Amino acid sequence: SLHAEMAAAAAAAASPAAASPASSAWERAAIVAGGFEVHAYSRAGVATAVLVQSTPPHPRLSLLFDVGHITDESLAASHVFVTHGHLDHIGGLVQHARAAAMSGHKPVYFVPHQIEEQVADLKRACEALDGGEKLHMNVQYMREGVKVSLGKGCHVEFVAMPHRVPSFGVVVSRVLNKGLKEEYRLLSTAEIAALAKSGVKMNNQVEEVAVAYSGDTTFEGIHARMDLFGQAKLLICEMTFFSDTPLDRAHSTAHMHMSEFAPHADSFRNQAVIFTHMSARYSAHQILRHAHAALPETFQRRCNFALAAFGCDDSEMMWALQCAHHMADPSARSEQVVVTWLQNRRKAAAVASKLRSRVEQRGQSFIAAVVLVQVAEDVVEAHVYGSLPASIEQQFQALQPSDSDAGESSKMEVIAGDGERQEDSHKCSRAEGRSSTSNNASNSQDSGSHADALRVWRVPANALMENFVFTPSETDYLSGT
């Protein structure tokens, strides 16, 4: 349940030592977005490898895009896609194949057909270096427009992309079942089971572009295939250069530049975007500040940056801190709280805790942190830690359906930092999939002693944006200075 998830998150934030260091480090490094868990190590000219794994309820996928860097986890990938022959993308190919074989895995490797001979030469050279021991690799070749089945209703398509050497983007699509067809909806369970056993396809099926991976390319290359890259649920896109680098540098090296992407950002309809392949000339802080200054605020809520190769073990946390705003009720602009966005709720407690510590580092009194998570196209969860000013509390309450419209009510719960549930006599209404789990302002706990207490509202996304003012913060929450 939501409460159980939030209690666990709050307890984990309060007791970070409870998890094993290795496990928690791996979890922190993950970017969970668009229904996928992504582990990316990417730094232009050094190494790029992006492991993408599906999350429930979708069929299990474990795909590795480029192999300039390997980890134990990447060895279990069922398919490995090498987009082009530059060493920072292909350098770990043979090493990955050898280690995967030793681990009992047999991935399928895809490389551009133009470098078939070079890959064969590389394999032979490595075999000779290894004392002549043969390495068995299942290598297949990418060609423009070719589609390959991955099983479980998924297939992959290869798209030729402009770059200095032959390069391909990789697009993964899957077929989704969208409920029974009209003619089967009135059948009994036994009748449906019998038809299913006989092989009759009774579900409405829709194909969606699940993941699009750009490889190294130019903005023109991406923009020419917006039907794929602009519509994928998750877009993983290179972004090598930012505003302090001349645009000519991006053009001469056939790479992306933020100044070309940013004006078109809102035309990308992806649920989530992860940028990779940033130039080694930047630090993690510089990347986030350049991006924050260039990208539209509406786009910032659904993008992130792969910063593991820049010494950052939690890219989601850093981007959330960079994007922190103040939130106010239009009728009381001075009563502000710190607010930021996440693409999933699992790190809400940790982000709120970090925002609180940054406030207190300045000797300021912590009021509240609100972490906003868009859980559906038209629904936002507001995770509130601390005590909201009365005007903001009342405004949230006003966004809830009235008792007369709710139909069903239940007692509300507050989840404290220690994971304990606390009942509140205020009623929680549910209607049209929205629920309130908030305390009334008069019952709020003292902000200093209960700043980790969690309350959650589910509110219409449009109403949230219409009823509150979000103002850029003059405080640098990213660096804490």
Side-chain angles (χ1 to χ4, degrees), residues 274-338:
I274 299 175
F275 291 111
T276 63
H277 202 267
M278 284 72 72
S279 171
R281 70 182 61 196
Y282 305 110
S283 69
H285 282 210
Q286 289 171 331
I287 290 167
L288 297 186
R289 285 176 177 142
H290 281 305
H292 187 248
L295 290 168
E297 184 184 334
T298 50
F299 183 82
Q300 292 179 23
R301 299 169 193 161
R302 51 192 177 96
C303 75
N304 220 302
F305 293 80
L307 299 174
F310 292 82
C312 171
D313 69 348
D314 195 337
S315 301
E316 289 179 319
M317 172 72 75
M318 287 191 70
W319 185 235
L321 295 176
Q322 175 65 70
C323 294
H325 277 51
H326 284 160
M327 178 182 189
D329 177 348
S331 66
R333 293 173 183 265
S334 62
E335 295 186 314
Q336 294 178 323
V337 297
V338 185

Side-chain angles (χ1 to χ4, degrees), residues 445-466:
Q445 303 291 343
D446 174 76
S447 62
S449 60
H450 289 80
D452 288 332
L454 167 64
R455 292 161 295 147
V456 181
W457 280 276
R458 287 172 68 90
V459 299
N462 290 340
L464 179 76
M465 304 312 297
E466 291 170 0

Side-chain angles (χ1 to χ4, degrees), residues 27-224:
E27 291 171 2
R28 284 198 308 273
I31 299 174
V32 177
F36 296 90
E37 181 170 303
V38 179
H39 288 268
Y41 188 95
S42 184
R43 189 168 182 153
V46 178
T48 288
V50 182
L51 178 65
V52 177
Q53 297 174 308
S54 58
T55 57
H58 297 293
R60 174 72 172 171
L61 283 179
S62 184
L63 310 175
L64 182 62
F65 298 94
D66 286 323
V67 65
H69 173 82
I70 69 170
T71 62
D72 288 345
E73 291 79 11
S74 72
L75 301 180
S78 61
H79 298 78
V80 179
F81 305 97
V82 179
T83 58
H84 63 289
H86 282 157
L87 282 179
D88 55 325
H89 295 257
I90 200 174
L93 175 64
V94 176
Q95 182 186 9
H96 186 279
R98 171 69 77 201
M102 292 175 64
S103 302
H105 300 291
K106 297 179 180 179
V108 181
Y109 296 90
F110 291 87
V111 301
H113 68 90
Q114 297 95 328
I115 60 172
E116 179 177 352
E117 288 186 17
Q118 293 91 328
V119 169
D121 290 343
L122 173 65
K123 178 176 176 290
R124 283 192 291 269
C126 290
E127 289 172 338
L129 289 170
D130 208 18
E133 184 177 348
K134 292 297 182 182
L135 174 62
H136 299 285
M137 293 176 62
N138 183 355
V139 181
Q140 300 185 24
Y141 302 99
M142 300 179 180
R143 287 180 170 82
E144 167 72 17
V146 170
K147 295 183 179 181
V148 176
S149 173
L150 301 178
K152 301 176 182 178
C154 301
H155 68 264
V156 63
E157 178 180 357
F158 307 117
V159 183
M161 304 297 288
H163 193 45
R164 304 195 309 278
V165 298
S167 187
F168 284 86
V170 183
V171 179
V172 180
S173 298
R174 61 189 174 196
V175 175
L176 302 178
N177 290 322
K178 294 291 187 179
L180 287 172
K181 295 178 181 176
E182 186 70 32
E183 59 267 33
Y184 300 113
R185 290 179 184 174
L186 297 180
L187 297 182
S188 68
T189 302
E191 291 172 319
I192 291 174
L195 288 171
K197 189 174 181 178
S198 67
V200 175
K201 297 185 181 299
M202 293 173 286
N203 288 317
N204 291 304
Q205 294 187 324
V206 176
E207 183 175 303
E208 74 166 8
V209 182
V211 182
Y213 180 80
S214 71
D216 284 7
T217 191
T218 63
F219 177 72
E220 288 77 10
I222 291 285
H223 205 247

